Structures are given as structure tokens and as C-alpha cells.
Amino acid sequence: MIKCFRNISLISVICLFIACEAAKTEEQTELLYELTRYDKENCDGDKCAKVSFLYPYFDESHPLSRNLNAHIEEQLKMYLQFGVFDDYATLDEAVEHYFSLFEQSGDTTLWSVDVEGQVSFQNDRLLSMEFVNTSLIGHDQPSNHLMFLNFDLEDGTLLLRDEIVLDEAVLLEKAERKFRRHHAVAEEVSLAEDGRFFLEGTRFFLPFSMGYRGADFVLFYNYYEICPIEMGATEITFPLEELDGIILTQN
């Protein structure tokens, strides 16, 4: 009887140990991040260049974190370059190059790059990050831009549009209806006849920037992408359940 009790106790301890280890492993593999701030400036009196980034940094205990962090860094580097994109080894190196361009410009006013990034969506399969950028060069008007990065959490790869959009024709039709309502285009008038929009020939098109935000899927037309600047950017949203089978979701 005592022997039996000891065996049961030993089994219980082993089961408890296994359960604790499983919980510990699950905790270690959870995809965690914190918002990180990066600020630098290069000023000489009123002449000043400033860089300010706020972005997610993923805990490197997760196997996908290194890849996610690398994509974020490349995205931030992009905001510091003009036309030709160089492969800088680090973010600091890209910032220093941005400052050197400022010094060479002879500009007497402010240059600035301000970026705020956040995780806008995450489930077991997908993760979206949303980056909002405001840039200023001298006396030019500020430049505003929104960008989504979408990832497959099965392997951490960056998803291309063709991998996100499963039925482009249906999404295009639904987006055009909302776009027309947003800009008050009369039903009997085509977008080409309206004359306010930059089309692909005479055809409506999906924006470059699209991604997941909360319970919605977002199509975001940045400044100049489809409308003149005085009309601003255009954001179209759909509840995710409305696009089931049309875009990539958890199922």
C-alpha cells in the first residue's frame, strides 16, 4: 500500500514538472515586443536636422523576432533616403548619411523625419505593423505617408500583396464602390469622367498600402497616389468578416 502511494506521488511530481516545463516553454515562445524610441539631431543654431522614430522591437527570445526586427530596421532606413536606396549596415549609419546630406544642402531651416510604428493586428497566423511618417525638408510642405508591413507568423515572411489578396476582382469592385461614396462621385459618372483622380488609364486600382488594423482590413491611398494633394489621403476600411475568402485571414 505504501509502495503504491509512493509510485502515485512520483507520477504526480513528474506530471507537475512536465506541465510547468510546458507552460514555461509556451511563455518563452510568446511573441512579445515593446515600443522603442530613437531620437537624434544635428543642429547648429537654427539650422537643424532631426530624426525621431517610435517602433516595435520584438523580444529576441522568439525565433521570428530577428527577422521581424530586421524588416522594421529596413523600413526605418527607407525614410532617410531619397531616390537611391543604399544598403546601410545599421540604422545609425543611415541617420549619419541623412545628416551629411543636410549639411551639404546649405539649407538654413529644419529637416525632420518623424515615424511612429505600431502593431496594428495580430492573431495566430498574421501580424500587421502600421508606420506613419511625416517628413520635412526646408521650406517644402511636410510629406505624410502611411505604410503597412504584413507578416505570416508561420515562418515570419513578409507577405506580398498577391499573397494577401485572394480575389482581387471582388476586392477591387467593393473598394471602388466605397471610394466613389467617399468622394461623392455621382452614380452615372465614371471615375475617369469625374476628372479628379489619377487612374491607371481609365481604371481604378488597389493602393500600394494595405493591411490589418483591429477588426478591419484597410486600403490606404497615400497623398498623390490617386488624388491631388488638396483632396488628401483616402482610407477605405472593411470589417474582416466581410472579406472572408477575399483576403487572407486566420482560417
Side-chain angles (χ1 to χ4, degrees):
M1 181 70 175
I2 294 174
K3 184 177 180 181
C4 180
F5 177 78
R6 286 177 178 171
N7 287 341
I8 292 172
S9 298
L10 181 60
I11 292 170
S12 299
V13 170
I14 292 171
C15 289
L16 180 61
F17 176 78
I18 292 171
C20 289
E21 286 300 305
K24 184 178 177 182
T25 302
E26 184 178 347
E27 183 181 345
Q28 286 176 338
T29 58
E30 186 179 354
L31 187 57
L32 302 174
Y33 70 91
E34 60 181 14
L35 289 177
T36 300
R37 182 166 288 283
Y38 179 107
D39 292 298
K40 278 199 171 185
E41 62 180 38
N42 181 357
C43 297
D44 182 10
D46 292 335
K47 181 178 178 179
C48 206
K50 298 182 179 181
V51 172
S52 180
F53 295 145
L54 182 68
Y55 59 94
Y57 183 83
F58 289 86
D59 188 318
E60 294 193 356
S61 62
H62 193 281
L64 299 182
S65 294
R66 182 174 296 183
N67 184 54
L68 295 174
N69 289 331
H71 276 290
I72 292 169
E73 183 169 296
E74 290 305 311
Q75 183 69 20
L76 297 176
K77 290 177 188 175
M78 184 190 72
Y79 295 119
L80 298 164
Q81 303 183 61
F82 309 97
V84 178
F85 295 99
D86 295 310
D87 186 19
Y88 296 106
T90 65
L91 185 58
D92 283 334
E93 188 179 325
V95 170
E96 290 307 315
H97 178 72
Y98 173 78
F99 286 159
S100 71
L101 291 176
F102 169 70
E103 291 169 355
Q104 296 165 25
S105 72
D107 221 319
T108 58
T109 54
L110 177 68
W111 279 27
S112 67
V113 177
D114 193 308
V115 179
E116 291 194 4
Q118 64 173 335
V119 173
S120 58
F121 179 87
Q122 184 178 350
N123 64 19
D124 292 339
R125 183 177 183 183
L126 302 169
L127 181 140
S128 276
M129 287 183 273
E130 182 177 351
F131 293 84
V132 178
N133 167 48
T134 301
S135 297
L136 179 66
I137 299 178
H139 295 287
D140 292 344
Q141 288 289 329
S143 171
N144 299 287
H145 187 269
L146 184 147
M147 182 69 184
F148 284 98
L149 296 182
N150 304 292
F151 295 90
D152 184 340
L153 289 183
E154 291 184 358
D155 55 11
T157 55
L158 183 67
L159 290 166
L160 303 177
R161 188 172 86 168
D162 291 348
E163 296 171 303
I164 296 169
V165 180
L166 306 179
D167 194 330
E168 184 170 353
V170 173
L171 183 59
L172 195 63
E173 181 183 344
K174 293 171 77 68
E176 183 172 352
R177 285 201 298 269
K178 283 205 171 188
F179 182 90
R180 293 173 66 93
R181 286 199 297 271
H182 180 84
H183 290 293
V185 179
E187 199 170 312
E188 67 278 5
V189 177
S190 71
L191 293 179
E193 291 168 339
D194 182 287
R196 292 179 291 168
F197 308 111
F198 311 139
L199 305 175
E200 292 181 345
T202 60
R203 296 190 306 112
F204 180 70
F205 58 90
L206 295 176
F208 182 76
S209 184
M210 60 177 67
Y212 307 80
R213 183 197 294 150
D216 294 328
F217 187 73
V218 180
L219 301 175
F220 195 91
Y221 295 86
N222 279 288
Y223 288 88
Y224 294 115
E225 186 174 3
I226 198 168
C227 298
I229 191 168
E230 60 269 18
M231 293 179 69
T234 301
E235 179 174 296
I236 298 171
T237 63
F238 297 94
L240 288 174
E241 59 267 21
E242 185 179 336
L243 299 183
D244 190 29
I246 300 172
I247 62 166
L248 187 65
T249 58
Q250 187 167 3
N251 299 322

